[in-house]
Amino acid sequence: MSDSASNIEDSIQIEIFPSRILSPETAQKLIAEIYKVDGVIRVMVQGNRLPDKVSAGPGTGEKVEHPLRKPIQIGDQVIELKICVGRIRVELSNAEAKEQIREVCEKLLPFPFEFREGHFLRKKPTVTDYAKLGPEADPRLLGMVDPKAKTDQLIFIEKQEKQEEKKNKDE
C-alpha cells in the first residue's frame, strides 16, 4: 500500500498563480470549474489571511469588515473566505486534466497568470499534520493543514459525483 495522499504514484501537481489577488466571485467561479474537471484529486487555495478583528491600535478587538471576506459556494457547500486568494494548487490524476484546467483558467482569468507543474502538496504526513489531525488522518488532507488554524476551521469538500455515487451504492 502506498502512503501517498492520493494513493496514485504518478499524480501531477500544478500551481495557478494569478498576477492579481482574486475577488471572491472570481475565486468561486474558478474553484467550482476546477472541481468539475475529471481527474482532480485535491485543491488547495493559498493567500494572505484576512483578519476578523483588529489586533492592535485604537480599534483593538473591533470587527474588521473587509470587502474580500465574503462567503463563496463550492458545490452545495458555502464557505466563508478567510484569505485573499493568491494561488491555487491542484493535484491531478492525469495529463488530460491538466490541459482542461489550463483552458478553464484562460477562460475565467482576464489577466495574466503563471501555470506551473511541480511538487507543491505533500504526500507524507508532516509534524503539523500529526499534531492537528492525529495518526489516522485522512490522506487527502496531508500537507494541507494551516499550523495556525483550529481543527474546526479545516474545510474539506468532496466532489458531488462521488457523493451521488455513494448514495446510489447505499440504496
Side-chain angles (χ1 to χ4, degrees), residues 1-9 136-137 139:
M1 182 174 171
S2 171
D3 60 348
S4 77
S6 60
N7 290 330
I8 297 175
E9 292 296 322
E136 300 299 322

Side-chain angles (χ1 to χ4, degrees), residues 38-144:
D38 286 335
V40 172
I41 298 168
R42 58 186 176 158
V43 178
M44 182 174 81
V45 180
Q46 226 181 5
N48 294 335
R49 266 180 203 266
L50 293 171
D52 56 346
K53 293 183 180 179
V54 178
S55 60
T60 302
E62 301 261 338
K63 186 173 169 94
V64 175
E65 296 294 332
H66 198 286
L68 294 179
R69 191 180 186 100
K70 292 182 180 177
I72 63 171
Q73 184 168 354
I74 308 298
D76 55 352
Q77 272 191 324
V78 177
I79 303 160
E80 184 180 352
L81 212 55
K82 296 183 179 187
I83 62 168
C84 297
V85 179
R87 41 178 103 184
I88 300 172
R89 294 176 174 172
V90 184
E91 186 172 16
L92 306 165
S93 61
N94 58 51
E96 294 85 34
K98 176 183 167 186
E99 292 309 314
Q100 290 176 350
I101 299 250
R102 183 188 300 271
E103 290 170 11
V104 165
C105 292
E106 288 171 352
K107 180 176 82 174
L108 294 176
L109 299 176
F111 42 81
F113 61 91
E114 292 181 34
F115 193 86
R116 303 184 266 222
E117 184 176 339
H119 296 285
F120 306 105
L121 303 170
R122 291 185 182 10
K123 293 188 177 206
K124 295 183 180 179
T126 63
V127 174
T128 302
D129 291 326
Y130 187 82
K132 290 280 184 180
L133 305 172
E136 300 299 322
D138 185 343
R140 295 173 289 186
L141 291 175
L142 296 179
M144 298 178 75

Side-chain angles (χ1 to χ4, degrees), residues 138-164:
D138 185 343
R140 295 173 289 186
L141 291 175
L142 296 179
M144 298 178 75
V145 177
D146 179 0
K148 295 181 182 179
K150 295 179 181 146
T151 307
D152 63 339
Q153 292 177 333
L154 299 175
I155 299 169
F156 183 70
I157 302 171
E158 284 192 76
K159 283 186 134 182
Q160 288 181 337
E161 297 96 14
K162 290 181 181 179
Q163 290 174 350
E164 290 172 6

Side-chain angles (χ1 to χ4, degrees), residues 16-31:
I16 304 158
F17 192 0
S19 62
R20 299 180 185 172
I21 301 263
L22 300 182
S23 70
E25 295 79 17
T26 304
Q28 175 179 324
K29 289 177 191 172
L30 184 61
I31 295 167

